[in-house]
Amino acid sequence: MVNNPDIGKLVLRLTLGLLMLLHGISKLQHGVGWISGELASHNLPGFLAYGVFIGEIIAPLMVILGVHTRIGAVLIAGNMLVAIVLVHMGEVFALSKTGGWALELQGFFLFSAVAVFFLGAGKYAIRK
């Protein structure tokens, strides 16, 4: 049986980072206006919407490359907590139409980021 935790960490980092980065690229292409609206509905300044680029572009690149990986993971986890509070609070205890948790995607990003934080980058990283 093959036991290589560093390959496992790499797979987890690449999966989390690439899937989150795609969300960030979409926001680069389509803007963050709707996030500004969500922030305004919570009496928060709209310019904070640009923080999503930290959580969905910069942090995923940090995780993918293995550059200050734990910091990148914390930024992704924080980004997901803000997203859940701003947009998805009503779904925290809900099931989807197919029977899964309504927040499966958000949960994946949040808990994978927490796992990367605790596991670290592994040896296949630029800088741990």
Side-chain angles (χ1 to χ4, degrees), residues 92-116:
V92 170
F93 298 107
L95 296 177
S96 69
K97 293 177 184 174
T98 59
W101 185 31
L103 298 183
E104 285 177 348
L105 182 62
Q106 294 82 1
F108 166 79
F109 287 135
L110 174 62
F111 297 118
S112 294
V114 170
V116 169

Side-chain angles (χ1 to χ4, degrees), residues 16-29:
L16 171 63
L18 289 170
L19 292 177
M20 181 58 79
L21 183 61
L22 293 173
H23 286 266
I25 291 169
S26 175
K27 288 179 181 73
L28 277 175
Q29 293 172 332

